[in-house]
Amino acid sequence: VSIPLAGFSQGIIPVMSYNYGHKRADRVKECFKITLAVMFSVNLVGMLFMILCPGLIGSTFTDDAGVVEIVRSYMPLFLLGMTIFGLQRTCQNTFVSLGQAKISLVMALLRKVFLLIPLIFILPNFFADKAFAVFLAEPVSDIIAAAVTTFMFFRFFRKLMKTGKTECETVIYSQVRDLSFARWIDNTVRVKGRTPDKNPMDHWFEITIVDGNVCLTEKGLPISEVGKVSLIYDDPIYSY
């Protein structure tokens, strides 16, 4: 179950990063929704199958009746928290896509290091069945980690998406003269300055990329081509 999900999640990272870098918050949100739907549903179906058929899964790998019985007894409990793991994995990979790899790493360590290991030693103090308590540590850590990761994700996600509305300054231009102000929002830009014939300009234009150049259009008609425009953002990473 985890192998195809890992491939899918790794494949979606550059798609999200590309659109985030181009300030397309709408596309980033759409990518997240698609990723969440696929990751959560596929993971849920796979986990439910193993929870409902633990004996079948165990017998696939061994003929030892004792081992199969242990699998049948503890696998449903062990995998209970994994039913929502698709949610955590989607949030972690989206963090990476948005340049927040450190947060993603902390969330990954939270599940297996900061929660699971201490719980393995703590929970047996509260249960007579020590083996049950050790296996219980896995779903408890999974559920807590998923809840914390989801909370952190939506807290930071809104802030990160606001970077799609950033003031900028065009420093290299050709046919748009005396450019004094530009504001970028998604795939549009407000240009304030003067046209080549000295007429004042203060309009919103759509932006398209044509052969590496930034083409400004209004009402579907090209009105000016700005050769290799360089936009300076609050974050110097985004320079076009």
Side-chain angles (χ1 to χ4, degrees):
V1 175
S2 62
I3 292 176
L5 288 179
F8 179 81
S9 63
Q10 291 299 313
I12 205 69
I13 288 176
V15 178
M16 282 192 184
S17 297
Y18 176 84
N19 286 287
Y20 179 65
H22 282 73
K23 305 297 181 180
R24 293 303 306 269
D26 56 333
R27 291 184 177 180
V28 174
K29 292 177 182 178
E30 188 65 24
C31 286
F32 173 76
K33 291 178 182 178
I34 294 173
T35 305
L36 178 61
V38 173
M39 297 276 286
F40 187 83
S41 59
V42 173
N43 180 80
L44 179 62
V45 171
M47 290 302 110
L48 287 178
F49 173 74
M50 289 188 283
I51 289 174
L52 296 175
C53 305
L56 176 63
I57 301 299
S59 61
T60 302
F61 297 95
T62 181
D63 295 328
D64 191 319
V67 174
V68 173
E69 184 59 32
I70 293 174
V71 172
R72 184 180 290 109
S73 300
Y74 291 108
M75 179 176 278
L77 173 66
F78 186 81
L79 295 179
L80 182 62
M82 289 288 290
T83 55
I84 59 174
F85 183 60
L87 178 61
Q88 181 179 1
R89 190 165 223 171
T90 301
C91 293
Q92 285 183 210
N93 282 283
T94 303
F95 271 133
V96 175
S97 303
L98 304 182
Q100 305 298 318
K102 291 182 180 179
I103 298 178
S104 179
L105 176 61
V106 172
M107 293 299 101
L109 293 175
L110 173 67
R111 174 171 167 260
K112 285 297 185 180
V113 178
F114 302 139
L115 288 174
L116 180 59
I117 294 177
L119 286 172
I120 288 175
F121 294 97
I122 294 172
L123 291 181
N125 296 317
F126 300 94
F127 295 89
D129 188 339
K130 306 302 181 182
F132 173 85
V134 170
F135 282 108
L136 180 63
E138 178 70 23
V140 172
S141 64
D142 288 341
I143 293 172
I144 295 176
V148 172
T149 301
T150 303
F151 172 78
M152 293 293 293
F153 174 78
F154 285 105
R155 179 182 177 184
F156 282 95
F157 188 70
R158 294 186 182 94
K159 294 181 180 179
L160 292 171
M161 289 301 96
K162 289 180 181 179
T163 60
K165 299 182 178 181
T166 309
E167 292 190 4
C168 58
E169 179 185 355
T170 303
V171 295
I172 301 176
Y173 54 91
S174 58
Q175 297 187 17
V176 178
R177 308 298 183 187
D178 302 324
L179 189 59
S180 60
F181 176 81
R183 182 174 177 82
W184 170 289
I185 295 182
D186 293 335
N187 65 332
T188 61
V189 64
R190 181 189 178 189
V191 177
K192 185 177 181 180
R194 291 185 180 275
T195 61
D197 56 358
K198 304 299 182 180
N199 292 323
M201 180 198 317
D202 186 358
H203 298 293
W204 284 96
F205 302 110
E206 293 182 357
I207 298 176
T208 55
I209 308 299
V210 180
D211 297 329
N213 291 327
V214 178
C215 186
L216 306 181
T217 61
E218 185 176 25
K219 297 181 180 179
L221 300 175
I223 53 91
S224 178
E225 186 175 291
V226 184
K228 296 182 179 178
V229 172
S230 178
L231 302 177
I232 299 178
Y233 291 87
D234 294 339
D235 187 340
I237 292 177
Y238 302 113
S239 181
Y240 296 84

mmCIF file with all atom_site columns, all heavy atoms in Angstrom, residues 124-139:
data_model
loop_
_atom_site.group_PDB
_atom_site.id
_atom_site.type_symbol
_atom_site.label_atom_id
_atom_site.label_alt_id
_atom_site.label_comp_id
_atom_site.label_asym_id
_atom_site.label_entity_id
_atom_site.label_seq_id
_atom_site.pdbx_PDB_ins_code
_atom_site.Cartn_x
_atom_site.Cartn_y
_atom_site.Cartn_z
_atom_site.occupancy
_atom_site.B_iso_or_equiv
_atom_site.pdbx_formal_charge
_atom_site.auth_seq_id
_atom_site.auth_comp_id
_atom_site.auth_asym_id
_atom_site.auth_atom_id
_atom_site.pdbx_PDB_model_num
ATOM 1   N N   . PRO A 1 124 ? 2.443  0.163  28.712 1.00 0.00 ? 124 PRO A N   1
ATOM 2   C CA  . PRO A 1 124 ? 2.413  -1.107 29.462 1.00 0.00 ? 124 PRO A CA  1
ATOM 3   C C   . PRO A 1 124 ? 2.204  -0.932 30.967 1.00 0.00 ? 124 PRO A C   1
ATOM 4   O O   . PRO A 1 124 ? 1.784  -1.888 31.653 1.00 0.00 ? 124 PRO A O   1
ATOM 5   C CB  . PRO A 1 124 ? 3.794  -1.717 29.173 1.00 0.00 ? 124 PRO A CB  1
ATOM 6   C CG  . PRO A 1 124 ? 4.155  -1.175 27.841 1.00 0.00 ? 124 PRO A CG  1
ATOM 7   C CD  . PRO A 1 124 ? 3.634  0.222  27.835 1.00 0.00 ? 124 PRO A CD  1
ATOM 8   N N   . ASN A 1 125 ? 2.438  0.265  31.481 1.00 0.00 ? 125 ASN A N   1
ATOM 9   C CA  . ASN A 1 125 ? 2.203  0.501  32.903 1.00 0.00 ? 125 ASN A CA  1
ATOM 10  C C   . ASN A 1 125 ? 0.720  0.600  33.242 1.00 0.00 ? 125 ASN A C   1
ATOM 11  O O   . ASN A 1 125 ? 0.349  0.539  34.422 1.00 0.00 ? 125 ASN A O   1
ATOM 12  C CB  . ASN A 1 125 ? 2.896  1.801  33.334 1.00 0.00 ? 125 ASN A CB  1
ATOM 13  C CG  . ASN A 1 125 ? 4.408  1.721  33.190 1.00 0.00 ? 125 ASN A CG  1
ATOM 14  O OD1 . ASN A 1 125 ? 5.016  0.718  33.536 1.00 0.00 ? 125 ASN A OD1 1
ATOM 15  N ND2 . ASN A 1 125 ? 5.012  2.780  32.662 1.00 0.00 ? 125 ASN A ND2 1
ATOM 16  N N   . PHE A 1 126 ? -0.115 0.710  32.233 1.00 0.00 ? 126 PHE A N   1
ATOM 17  C CA  . PHE A 1 126 ? -1.549 0.883  32.462 1.00 0.00 ? 126 PHE A CA  1
ATOM 18  C C   . PHE A 1 126 ? -2.385 -0.308 32.014 1.00 0.00 ? 126 PHE A C   1
ATOM 19  O O   . PHE A 1 126 ? -3.608 -0.292 32.139 1.00 0.00 ? 126 PHE A O   1
ATOM 20  C CB  . PHE A 1 126 ? -2.045 2.138  31.731 1.00 0.00 ? 126 PHE A CB  1
ATOM 21  C CG  . PHE A 1 126 ? -1.375 3.405  32.186 1.00 0.00 ? 126 PHE A CG  1
ATOM 22  C CD1 . PHE A 1 126 ? -0.260 3.896  31.513 1.00 0.00 ? 126 PHE A CD1 1
ATOM 23  C CD2 . PHE A 1 126 ? -1.842 4.096  33.295 1.00 0.00 ? 126 PHE A CD2 1
ATOM 24  C CE1 . PHE A 1 126 ? 0.359  5.061  31.925 1.00 0.00 ? 126 PHE A CE1 1
ATOM 25  C CE2 . PHE A 1 126 ? -1.222 5.260  33.716 1.00 0.00 ? 126 PHE A CE2 1
ATOM 26  C CZ  . PHE A 1 126 ? -0.117 5.752  33.035 1.00 0.00 ? 126 PHE A CZ  1
ATOM 27  N N   . PHE A 1 127 ? -1.746 -1.350 31.462 1.00 0.00 ? 127 PHE A N   1
ATOM 28  C CA  . PHE A 1 127 ? -2.471 -2.518 30.969 1.00 0.00 ? 127 PHE A CA  1
ATOM 29  C C   . PHE A 1 127 ? -1.834 -3.792 31.504 1.00 0.00 ? 127 PHE A C   1
ATOM 30  O O   . PHE A 1 127 ? -0.603 -3.901 31.577 1.00 0.00 ? 127 PHE A O   1
ATOM 31  C CB  . PHE A 1 127 ? -2.475 -2.549 29.438 1.00 0.00 ? 127 PHE A CB  1
ATOM 32  C CG  . PHE A 1 127 ? -3.237 -1.412 28.805 1.00 0.00 ? 127 PHE A CG  1
ATOM 33  C CD1 . PHE A 1 127 ? -2.587 -0.214 28.504 1.00 0.00 ? 127 PHE A CD1 1
ATOM 34  C CD2 . PHE A 1 127 ? -4.585 -1.534 28.522 1.00 0.00 ? 127 PHE A CD2 1
ATOM 35  C CE1 . PHE A 1 127 ? -3.279 0.841  27.919 1.00 0.00 ? 127 PHE A CE1 1
ATOM 36  C CE2 . PHE A 1 127 ? -5.290 -0.492 27.940 1.00 0.00 ? 127 PHE A CE2 1
ATOM 37  C CZ  . PHE A 1 127 ? -4.637 0.694  27.637 1.00 0.00 ? 127 PHE A CZ  1
ATOM 38  N N   . ALA A 1 128 ? -2.692 -4.753 31.848 1.00 0.00 ? 128 ALA A N   1
ATOM 39  C CA  . ALA A 1 128 ? -2.186 -6.045 32.309 1.00 0.00 ? 128 ALA A CA  1
ATOM 40  C C   . ALA A 1 128 ? -1.556 -6.817 31.164 1.00 0.00 ? 128 ALA A C   1
ATOM 41  O O   . ALA A 1 128 ? -0.543 -7.513 31.347 1.00 0.00 ? 128 ALA A O   1
ATOM 42  C CB  . ALA A 1 128 ? -3.329 -6.852 32.934 1.00 0.00 ? 128 ALA A CB  1
ATOM 43  N N   . ASP A 1 129 ? -2.170 -6.712 29.964 1.00 0.00 ? 129 ASP A N   1
ATOM 44  C CA  . ASP A 1 129 ? -1.626 -7.371 28.780 1.00 0.00 ? 129 ASP A CA  1
ATOM 45  C C   . ASP A 1 129 ? -0.548 -6.461 28.185 1.00 0.00 ? 129 ASP A C   1
ATOM 46  O O   . ASP A 1 129 ? -0.838 -5.490 27.480 1.00 0.00 ? 129 ASP A O   1
ATOM 47  C CB  . ASP A 1 129 ? -2.750 -7.612 27.761 1.00 0.00 ? 129 ASP A CB  1
ATOM 48  C CG  . ASP A 1 129 ? -2.297 -8.472 26.593 1.00 0.00 ? 129 ASP A CG  1
ATOM 49  O OD1 . ASP A 1 129 ? -1.072 -8.546 26.359 1.00 0.00 ? 129 ASP A OD1 1
ATOM 50  O OD2 . ASP A 1 129 ? -3.150 -9.048 25.899 1.00 0.00 ? 129 ASP A OD2 1
ATOM 51  N N   . LYS A 1 130 ? 0.716  -6.752 28.468 1.00 0.00 ? 130 LYS A N   1
ATOM 52  C CA  . LYS A 1 130 ? 1.818  -5.901 28.038 1.00 0.00 ? 130 LYS A CA  1
ATOM 53  C C   . LYS A 1 130 ? 1.968  -5.883 26.524 1.00 0.00 ? 130 LYS A C   1
ATOM 54  O O   . LYS A 1 130 ? 2.283  -4.840 25.932 1.00 0.00 ? 130 LYS A O   1
ATOM 55  C CB  . LYS A 1 130 ? 3.128  -6.369 28.690 1.00 0.00 ? 130 LYS A CB  1
ATOM 56  C CG  . LYS A 1 130 ? 3.073  -6.462 30.209 1.00 0.00 ? 130 LYS A CG  1
ATOM 57  C CD  . LYS A 1 130 ? 2.695  -5.114 30.837 1.00 0.00 ? 130 LYS A CD  1
ATOM 58  C CE  . LYS A 1 130 ? 2.665  -5.218 32.361 1.00 0.00 ? 130 LYS A CE  1
ATOM 59  N NZ  . LYS A 1 130 ? 2.267  -3.954 33.017 1.00 0.00 ? 130 LYS A NZ  1
ATOM 60  N N   . ALA A 1 131 ? 1.754  -7.027 25.878 1.00 0.00 ? 131 ALA A N   1
ATOM 61  C CA  . ALA A 1 131 ? 1.873  -7.081 24.417 1.00 0.00 ? 131 ALA A CA  1
ATOM 62  C C   . ALA A 1 131 ? 0.816  -6.191 23.766 1.00 0.00 ? 131 ALA A C   1
ATOM 63  O O   . ALA A 1 131 ? 1.090  -5.467 22.809 1.00 0.00 ? 131 ALA A O   1
ATOM 64  C CB  . ALA A 1 131 ? 1.734  -8.522 23.935 1.00 0.00 ? 131 ALA A CB  1
ATOM 65  N N   . PHE A 1 132 ? -0.397 -6.251 24.302 1.00 0.00 ? 132 PHE A N   1
ATOM 66  C CA  . PHE A 1 132 ? -1.477 -5.394 23.795 1.00 0.00 ? 132 PHE A CA  1
ATOM 67  C C   . PHE A 1 132 ? -1.105 -3.921 23.927 1.00 0.00 ? 132 PHE A C   1
ATOM 68  O O   . PHE A 1 132 ? -1.330 -3.127 23.002 1.00 0.00 ? 132 PHE A O   1
ATOM 69  C CB  . PHE A 1 132 ? -2.763 -5.684 24.579 1.00 0.00 ? 132 PHE A CB  1
ATOM 70  C CG  . PHE A 1 132 ? -3.890 -4.735 24.262 1.00 0.00 ? 132 PHE A CG  1
ATOM 71  C CD1 . PHE A 1 132 ? -4.714 -4.958 23.182 1.00 0.00 ? 132 PHE A CD1 1
ATOM 72  C CD2 . PHE A 1 132 ? -4.107 -3.612 25.061 1.00 0.00 ? 132 PHE A CD2 1
ATOM 73  C CE1 . PHE A 1 132 ? -5.752 -4.078 22.884 1.00 0.00 ? 132 PHE A CE1 1
ATOM 74  C CE2 . PHE A 1 132 ? -5.133 -2.733 24.779 1.00 0.00 ? 132 PHE A CE2 1
ATOM 75  C CZ  . PHE A 1 132 ? -5.958 -2.963 23.684 1.00 0.00 ? 132 PHE A CZ  1
ATOM 76  N N   . ALA A 1 133 ? -0.498 -3.549 25.053 1.00 0.00 ? 133 ALA A N   1
ATOM 77  C CA  . ALA A 1 133 ? -0.131 -2.160 25.286 1.00 0.00 ? 133 ALA A CA  1
ATOM 78  C C   . ALA A 1 133 ? 0.935  -1.691 24.304 1.00 0.00 ? 133 ALA A C   1
ATOM 79  O O   . ALA A 1 133 ? 0.892  -0.555 23.814 1.00 0.00 ? 133 ALA A O   1
ATOM 80  C CB  . ALA A 1 133 ? 0.362  -1.996 26.715 1.00 0.00 ? 133 ALA A CB  1
ATOM 81  N N   . VAL A 1 134 ? 1.902  -2.570 24.000 1.00 0.00 ? 134 VAL A N   1
ATOM 82  C CA  . VAL A 1 134 ? 2.961  -2.207 23.052 1.00 0.00 ? 134 VAL A CA  1
ATOM 83  C C   . VAL A 1 134 ? 2.380  -1.993 21.660 1.00 0.00 ? 134 VAL A C   1
ATOM 84  O O   . VAL A 1 134 ? 2.707  -1.019 20.969 1.00 0.00 ? 134 VAL A O   1
ATOM 85  C CB  . VAL A 1 134 ? 4.059  -3.287 23.023 1.00 0.00 ? 134 VAL A CB  1
ATOM 86  C CG1 . VAL A 1 134 ? 5.033  -3.031 21.871 1.00 0.00 ? 134 VAL A CG1 1
ATOM 87  C CG2 . VAL A 1 134 ? 4.802  -3.324 24.344 1.00 0.00 ? 134 VAL A CG2 1
ATOM 88  N N   . PHE A 1 135 ? 1.507  -2.893 21.224 1.00 0.00 ? 135 PHE A N   1
ATOM 89  C CA  . PHE A 1 135 ? 0.870  -2.729 19.907 1.00 0.00 ? 135 PHE A CA  1
ATOM 90  C C   . PHE A 1 135 ? -0.060 -1.520 19.889 1.00 0.00 ? 135 PHE A C   1
ATOM 91  O O   . PHE A 1 135 ? -0.229 -0.880 18.850 1.00 0.00 ? 135 PHE A O   1
ATOM 92  C CB  . PHE A 1 135 ? 0.094  -3.999 19.539 1.00 0.00 ? 135 PHE A CB  1
ATOM 93  C CG  . PHE A 1 135 ? 0.971  -5.119 19.047 1.00 0.00 ? 135 PHE A CG  1
ATOM 94  C CD1 . PHE A 1 135 ? 1.209  -6.233 19.830 1.00 0.00 ? 135 PHE A CD1 1
ATOM 95  C CD2 . PHE A 1 135 ? 1.565  -5.047 17.796 1.00 0.00 ? 135 PHE A CD2 1
ATOM 96  C CE1 . PHE A 1 135 ? 2.013  -7.265 19.379 1.00 0.00 ? 135 PHE A CE1 1
ATOM 97  C CE2 . PHE A 1 135 ? 2.377  -6.073 17.331 1.00 0.00 ? 135 PHE A CE2 1
ATOM 98  C CZ  . PHE A 1 135 ? 2.610  -7.187 18.131 1.00 0.00 ? 135 PHE A CZ  1
ATOM 99  N N   . LEU A 1 136 ? -0.656 -1.198 21.021 1.00 0.00 ? 136 LEU A N   1
ATOM 100 C CA  . LEU A 1 136 ? -1.548 -0.046 21.102 1.00 0.00 ? 136 LEU A CA  1
ATOM 101 C C   . LEU A 1 136 ? -0.793 1.267  20.896 1.00 0.00 ? 136 LEU A C   1
ATOM 102 O O   . LEU A 1 136 ? -1.369 2.257  20.433 1.00 0.00 ? 136 LEU A O   1
ATOM 103 C CB  . LEU A 1 136 ? -2.246 -0.030 22.463 1.00 0.00 ? 136 LEU A CB  1
ATOM 104 C CG  . LEU A 1 136 ? -3.234 1.118  22.724 1.00 0.00 ? 136 LEU A CG  1
ATOM 105 C CD1 . LEU A 1 136 ? -4.408 1.056  21.750 1.00 0.00 ? 136 LEU A CD1 1
ATOM 106 C CD2 . LEU A 1 136 ? -3.726 1.071  24.163 1.00 0.00 ? 136 LEU A CD2 1
ATOM 107 N N   . ALA A 1 137 ? 0.484  1.277  21.225 1.00 0.00 ? 137 ALA A N   1
ATOM 108 C CA  . ALA A 1 137 ? 1.280  2.498  21.066 1.00 0.00 ? 137 ALA A CA  1
ATOM 109 C C   . ALA A 1 137 ? 1.299  2.981  19.617 1.00 0.00 ? 137 ALA A C   1
ATOM 110 O O   . ALA A 1 137 ? 1.345  4.193  19.354 1.00 0.00 ? 137 ALA A O   1
ATOM 111 C CB  . ALA A 1 137 ? 2.708  2.255  21.556 1.00 0.00 ? 137 ALA A CB  1
ATOM 112 N N   . GLU A 1 138 ? 1.252  2.049  18.674 1.00 0.00 ? 138 GLU A N   1
ATOM 113 C CA  . GLU A 1 138 ? 1.295  2.427  17.249 1.00 0.00 ? 138 GLU A CA  1
ATOM 114 C C   . GLU A 1 138 ? 0.064  3.232  16.823 1.00 0.00 ? 138 GLU A C   1
ATOM 115 O O   . GLU A 1 138 ? 0.222  4.335  16.285 1.00 0.00 ? 138 GLU A O   1
ATOM 116 C CB  . GLU A 1 138 ? 1.449  1.175  16.384 1.00 0.00 ? 138 GLU A CB  1
ATOM 117 C CG  . GLU A 1 138 ? 1.458  1.447  14.901 1.00 0.00 ? 138 GLU A CG  1
ATOM 118 C CD  . GLU A 1 138 ? 2.710  2.169  14.435 1.00 0.00 ? 138 GLU A CD  1
ATOM 119 O OE1 . GLU A 1 138 ? 3.739  2.076  15.142 1.00 0.00 ? 138 GLU A OE1 1
ATOM 120 O OE2 . GLU A 1 138 ? 2.676  2.825  13.374 1.00 0.00 ? 138 GLU A OE2 1
ATOM 121 N N   . PRO A 1 139 ? -1.170 2.745  17.011 1.00 0.00 ? 139 PRO A N   1
ATOM 122 C CA  . PRO A 1 139 ? -2.323 3.545  16.591 1.00 0.00 ? 139 PRO A CA  1
ATOM 123 C C   . PRO A 1 139 ? -2.465 4.857  17.361 1.00 0.00 ? 139 PRO A C   1
ATOM 124 O O   . PRO A 1 139 ? -2.915 5.860  16.806 1.00 0.00 ? 139 PRO A O   1
ATOM 125 C CB  . PRO A 1 139 ? -3.518 2.623  16.842 1.00 0.00 ? 139 PRO A CB  1
ATOM 126 C CG  . PRO A 1 139 ? -3.057 1.634  17.834 1.00 0.00 ? 139 PRO A CG  1
ATOM 127 C CD  . PRO A 1 139 ? -1.605 1.429  17.529 1.00 0.00 ? 139 PRO A CD  1
#
